[in-house]
């Protein structure tokens, strides 16, 4: 009986030891899983975080909000941090897909531009989402091709000097949003009269000068000299034109009336296994000297974290102040059908 008891005791001790090893292994798990947009996470920033926090960061990427959301809704597990745009942040909050941030860890929250938080009406107190980057599409003019002076508002697309050499994005929210902004209306308008007026402006004044609606190849066509006027993102244009020709070739601006914009934010998923490390990473990104490295890597303007500006070493593609009047594209729910109907008429009616 004693031998039996002894064996049981030894077995129990062995089990406890094994459980202890498993517990220790879990505690020593220092791997953070980041799910972010493609080419949106500077390697040097990741390397510095890994060194300081004695951890490993695994990065997986996606090309669209739709891809990210569909993968997570299909049951993908293991990710800690995701970086959705504003409309998907609001959707994911409503669906309980995100975990509230540890505000005690967010010591750099004071570095966030209040103007950005004013626009983030879905989470202005950063309970679930901390801004990563705020951006907007604008206008790119090839200065070597323009035959005369030109206006610096969205109605530049009615200028006949660019006829046959102009393009706008194949994106209804962007094109319709620009027209609404030019008319002094919200880029999220669901008013039928306002939407009809915007569609009429695009169809009758802008479309006649366009070669096509193009969301992908406009950068290459601008660089080759085929397109002289483009609506699009600065990074697409600048990445295709040799740097030594930027000043002489590119005039990029966001019109004073503003337009549609986006705000990508860092969020922690509800089932994140590395919650503490995720909070540390989000706060780390907003150290001014670290955020400056992120901006420098992509030549982005300093708008989200204004305290990073003194640490920047590169000239941004355009001035951050140009985005002051831009408005975030909200999730319009069923109201998006109104845009779809008008967009089909714009795209496929001569």
């Amino acid at each position: 009986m004693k031998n039996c008891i002894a064996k049981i005791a030894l077995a129990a001790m062995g089990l406890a030891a094994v459980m202890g090893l498993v517990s220790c292994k879990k505690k020593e798990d220092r791997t953070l899983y980041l799910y972010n947009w493609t080419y949106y996470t500077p390697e040097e920033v990741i390397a510095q975080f890994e060194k300081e926090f004695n951890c490993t960061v695994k990065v997986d990427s996606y090309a669209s909000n739709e891809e990210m959301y569909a993968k997570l809704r299909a049951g993908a597990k293991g990710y800690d941090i995701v970086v959705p745009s504003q409309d998907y942040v609001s959707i994911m909050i409503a669906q309980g897909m995100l975990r509230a941030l540890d505000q005690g860890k967010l010591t750099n929250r004071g570095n966030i531009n209040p103007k950005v938080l004013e626009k983030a009406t879905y989470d202005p107190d950063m309970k679930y989402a901390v801004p990563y980057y705020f951006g907007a599409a604008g206008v790119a003019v090839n200065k070597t091709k323009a035959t005369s002076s030109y206006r610096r508002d969205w109605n530049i697309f009615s200028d006949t000097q660019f006829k046959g050499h102009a393009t706008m994005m194949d994106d209804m929210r962007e094109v319709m949003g620009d027209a609404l902004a030019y008319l002094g209306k919200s880029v999220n308008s669901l008013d039928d009269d306002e939407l009809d007026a915007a569609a009429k402006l695009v169809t009758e004044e802008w479309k006649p000068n366009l070669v096509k609606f193009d969301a992908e190849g406009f950068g290459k066509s601008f660089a080759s000299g085929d397109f002289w006027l483009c609506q699009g993102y600065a990074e697409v244009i600048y990445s295709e034109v040799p740097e030594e020709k930027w000043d002489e070739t590119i005039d990029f601006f966001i019109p004073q009336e503003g337009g549609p914009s986006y705000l990508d934010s860092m969020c922690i998923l509800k089932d994140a296994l590395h919650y503490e490390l995720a909070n540390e990473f989000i706060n780390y990104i907003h150290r001014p000297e670290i955020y400056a490295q992120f901006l420098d890597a992509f030549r982005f303007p300093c708008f989200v974290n204004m305290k990073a500006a003194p640490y920047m070493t590169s000239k941004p593609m355009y001035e951050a102040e140009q985005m002051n009047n831009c408005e975030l594209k909200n999730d319009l729910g069923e109201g998006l059908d109104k845009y779809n109907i008008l967009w089909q008429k714009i795209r496929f009616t001569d």
Side-chain angles (χ1 to χ4, degrees):
M1 187 67 174
K2 289 182 179 179
N3 288 338
C4 183
I5 293 174
K7 288 180 180 179
I8 293 173
L10 287 171
M13 291 173 63
L15 179 60
V18 171
M19 293 301 292
L21 287 173
V22 172
S23 177
C24 287
K25 186 175 181 180
K26 287 184 177 179
K27 289 180 181 178
E28 292 170 1
D29 182 4
R30 301 287 293 172
T31 303
L32 180 69
Y33 292 89
L34 173 63
Y35 196 25
N36 200 357
W37 295 81
T38 305
Y39 307 121
Y40 211 29
T41 317
E43 292 182 1
E44 64 272 19
V45 170
I46 295 294
Q48 291 172 70
F49 179 81
E50 290 177 323
K51 182 177 181 180
E52 180 173 338
F53 288 86
N54 188 30
C55 67
T56 299
V57 179
K58 299 290 186 182
V59 182
D60 197 4
S61 60
Y62 52 88
S64 69
N65 283 294
E66 291 77 13
E67 176 188 343
M68 172 274 299
Y69 178 76
K71 185 173 181 178
L72 294 176
R73 292 300 292 177
K77 303 290 184 182
Y79 297 120
D80 297 305
I81 297 175
V82 69
V83 191
S85 300
Q86 68 286 339
D87 47 350
Y88 276 81
V89 171
S90 63
I91 291 171
M92 294 170 78
I93 290 174
Q95 295 182 349
M97 296 175 66
L98 304 178
R99 183 173 176 179
L101 301 169
D102 182 348
Q103 297 298 320
K105 294 285 187 182
L106 196 55
T107 59
N108 291 320
R109 65 177 297 130
N111 298 339
I112 307 300
N113 187 350
K115 291 182 180 179
V116 174
L117 296 178
E118 287 175 8
K119 298 175 188 292
T121 55
Y122 51 87
D123 188 23
D125 297 321
M126 296 187 287
K127 182 178 180 181
Y128 293 98
V130 174
Y132 186 63
Y133 182 67
F134 183 97
V139 177
V141 177
N142 187 324
K143 294 188 290 186
T144 69
K145 300 294 186 178
T147 58
S148 62
S149 60
Y150 46 84
R151 58 196 307 156
R152 301 180 69 80
D153 57 34
W154 288 116
N155 208 35
I156 187 175
F157 288 95
S158 68
D159 191 333
T160 56
Q161 71 169 304
F162 299 108
K163 185 177 179 63
H165 296 281
T167 183
M168 298 189 78
M169 297 171 69
D170 192 4
D171 185 316
M172 65 181 182
R173 291 297 303 276
E174 289 291 334
V175 175
M176 289 283 290
D178 293 342
L180 286 164
Y182 177 71
L183 295 172
K185 310 301 180 183
S186 169
V187 303
N188 298 303
S189 176
L190 291 175
D191 181 272
D192 291 333
D193 291 338
E194 293 177 1
L195 291 175
D196 287 341
K200 181 178 181 181
L201 174 62
V202 175
T203 302
E204 297 182 4
E205 301 294 331
W206 297 357
K207 186 178 176 182
N209 289 328
L210 304 181
V211 178
K212 60 179 178 178
F213 291 100
D214 178 9
E216 298 180 355
F218 64 89
K220 293 184 182 297
S221 295
F222 183 94
S224 69
D226 291 335
F227 291 166
W228 304 350
L229 172 66
C230 295
Q231 173 219 26
Y233 297 109
E235 52 267 34
V236 177
I237 296 292
Y238 280 86
S239 66
E240 296 293 345
V241 177
E243 187 170 352
E244 64 271 15
K245 293 185 177 181
W246 285 358
D247 290 340
E248 67 181 74
T249 305
I250 306 171
D251 179 15
F252 183 90
F253 60 91
I254 297 175
Q256 178 67 27
E257 58 266 29
S261 58
Y262 64 90
L263 175 58
D264 299 328
S265 296
M266 297 177 286
C267 306
I268 299 179
L269 290 167
K270 188 74 172 180
D271 57 357
L273 296 178
H274 309 95
Y275 179 70
E276 294 301 322
L277 196 55
N279 278 285
E280 293 284 9
F281 182 84
I282 291 173
N283 190 57
Y284 178 82
I285 290 296
H286 280 296
R287 290 183 188 175
E289 66 276 17
I290 298 299
Y291 195 75
Q293 292 180 44
F294 163 67
L295 298 176
D296 283 338
F298 302 104
R299 297 295 185 97
F300 285 152
C302 186
F303 191 72
V304 168
N305 183 333
M306 301 299 287
K307 293 184 179 180
Y311 297 92
M312 294 180 66
T313 59
S314 67
K315 180 182 178 181
M317 293 175 288
Y318 56 96
E319 296 302 319
E321 290 75 15
Q322 294 186 26
M323 294 188 286
N324 282 344
N325 295 327
C326 289
E327 185 181 5
L328 289 177
K329 293 176 288 185
N330 294 335
D331 171 32
L332 300 179
E334 295 180 358
L336 193 62
D337 288 341
K338 293 185 176 184
Y339 284 76
N340 278 316
I341 292 171
L342 290 171
W343 184 243
Q344 294 306 309
K345 293 179 180 178
I346 292 171
R347 289 286 278 108
F348 302 110
T349 301
D350 294 330

